[in-house]
Amino acid sequence: MNDLIGIVWNPTKIEEEELRAAIDAASEPGASQPEFRLFETSAEDPGRGATEAAIEAGCTVVVAAGGDGTVREVAEVLAGRGDAPDLGILPLGTGNLLARNLGIPLGDHSAALTRVATGEGSPLDLGIVELRRPDGGTERHGFAVMVGFGIDAQMIAETDDDLKDRAGWLAYVESLGRAVSGSEVREFTAALDSGDAEPHRGHTLLVANCGTIQGGITLLPDADPADGRLDLLLLSADGVGAWLDTVRNLVWDNGLKRLITGADSAESSATAGHRQAQSIAVDLDAPVVFEIDGEEVGEVSGFEVSILPSALRVR
């Protein structure tokens, strides 16, 4: 029996006519070609209902056609189901963080759908973050790439798109200088793998399943989306000299030097700490703005992150 591929699509990202044209281009004549079926999202339900409908329809693959938010919605529904369909991705957003980390074609819809139709599913971990709001409320979200607080959100927002495409990590250095002015070193405690809470200071803490952001810039070189581990990066620079140490660590120690020497583990420095764990619990001294896969989700006073190994299969 041929695959039935459900496409959970965000109509604000692509017109139905353009989407169907990409499907036609990806579906060459032949007996083994899959059937594609569309499931539309809405502002009120950005993907969960459409994903459930695709599962109920018997789809063997569910494609998230949209930005990182749509990918998260679909992935959260599929994760942990013993008979879950494979996850496919048709990147249509501006970030497309998971697609970038998995090498999924960007800007070529038919190529991305051809990969879904002809590819084999590979394991993919899913991160789970439980947020504690300043008013005491809690929320639970899945993520595919990274979560955290600090200058990374400003850096991502301020990096010039054309420069990212042309200069790679140099675009990060250029935008970092402007993002630094908004950084503030904070006090917090962190407990790794249910251990004792230890005090830390820093302005940026990233907890990641994947290590690459826009422009091919790799912040966490050890991150592997299928190794069952979280990769942590803590930045604590405060002052010009300290920032030079951070830039050296990111650009030289874990960039060019790593390429030259073939090192297989990230190096830490006085202002840039790299760790790995399967869970982390953080309590902050004051609320901070938090982000999930590059999207701001408001202020938190604490959070816990864990990893679900091989929770998904992705094409």
Side-chain angles (χ1 to χ4, degrees), residues 152-242:
D152 54 303
Q154 291 175 277
M155 178 194 67
I156 293 169
E158 294 189 21
T159 302
D160 180 82
D161 288 335
D162 291 336
L163 186 58
K164 285 185 292 192
D165 291 336
R166 289 185 283 108
W169 58 265
L170 289 175
Y172 168 72
V173 176
E174 187 272 341
S175 67
L176 179 62
R178 287 180 283 121
V180 166
S181 61
S183 65
E184 178 182 351
V185 174
R186 299 180 179 276
E187 306 282 344
F188 64 92
T189 63
L192 302 184
D193 295 332
S194 301
D196 294 335
E198 298 180 358
H200 295 275
R201 297 180 73 254
H203 53 71
T204 299
L205 176 62
L206 298 178
V207 183
N209 186 40
C210 301
T212 300
I213 60 172
Q214 293 95 324
I217 303 160
T218 299
L219 294 181
L220 298 104
D222 290 348
D224 179 339
D227 66 356
R229 294 180 293 182
L230 297 165
D231 285 73
L232 284 56
L233 173 62
L234 173 62
L235 302 181
S236 57
D238 187 10
V240 175

Side-chain angles (χ1 to χ4, degrees), residues 81-158:
R81 304 173 74 115
D83 58 346
D86 285 357
L87 169 68
I89 300 173
L90 175 56
L92 301 175
T94 55
N96 301 313
L97 293 178
L98 183 58
R100 293 174 189 273
N101 279 272
L102 298 180
I104 294 171
L106 302 176
D108 188 337
H109 304 336
S110 62
L113 291 177
T114 297
R115 171 177 171 138
V116 170
T118 61
E120 296 286 337
S122 299
L124 176 69
D125 301 337
L126 184 72
I128 299 295
V129 58
E130 297 186 14
L131 307 179
R132 187 170 67 255
R133 297 296 187 180
D135 63 4
T138 60
E139 298 174 16
R140 188 174 188 269
H141 300 277
F143 68 93
V145 182
M146 64 180 66
V147 299
F149 64 84
I151 68 168
D152 54 303
Q154 291 175 277
M155 178 194 67
I156 293 169
E158 294 189 21

Side-chain angles (χ1 to χ4, degrees), residues 204-294:
T204 299
L205 176 62
L206 298 178
V207 183
N209 186 40
C210 301
T212 300
I213 60 172
Q214 293 95 324
I217 303 160
T218 299
L219 294 181
L220 298 104
D222 290 348
D224 179 339
D227 66 356
R229 294 180 293 182
L230 297 165
D231 285 73
L232 284 56
L233 173 62
L234 173 62
L235 302 181
S236 57
D238 187 10
V240 175
W243 275 110
L244 290 175
D245 175 75
T246 298
V247 172
R248 178 190 58 77
N249 178 266
L250 297 177
V251 175
W252 172 249
D253 292 343
N254 294 299
L256 296 177
K257 178 182 174 183
R258 183 178 174 119
L259 289 175
I260 294 169
T261 64
D264 58 3
S265 61
E267 289 188 28
S268 296
S269 71
T271 63
H274 292 266
R275 296 284 299 275
Q276 289 187 321
Q278 291 183 310
S279 67
I280 180 173
V282 174
D283 285 309
L284 295 147
D285 68 338
V288 298
V289 174
F290 199 78
E291 70 161 344
I292 301 176
D293 285 354

Side-chain angles (χ1 to χ4, degrees), residues 5 15-17 45-46 51 94 101 171 173 191 226 258 288:
I5 299 178
E15 297 288 341
E16 182 174 353
E17 182 178 355
D45 185 348
T51 303
T94 55
N101 279 272
V173 176
R258 183 178 174 119
V288 298

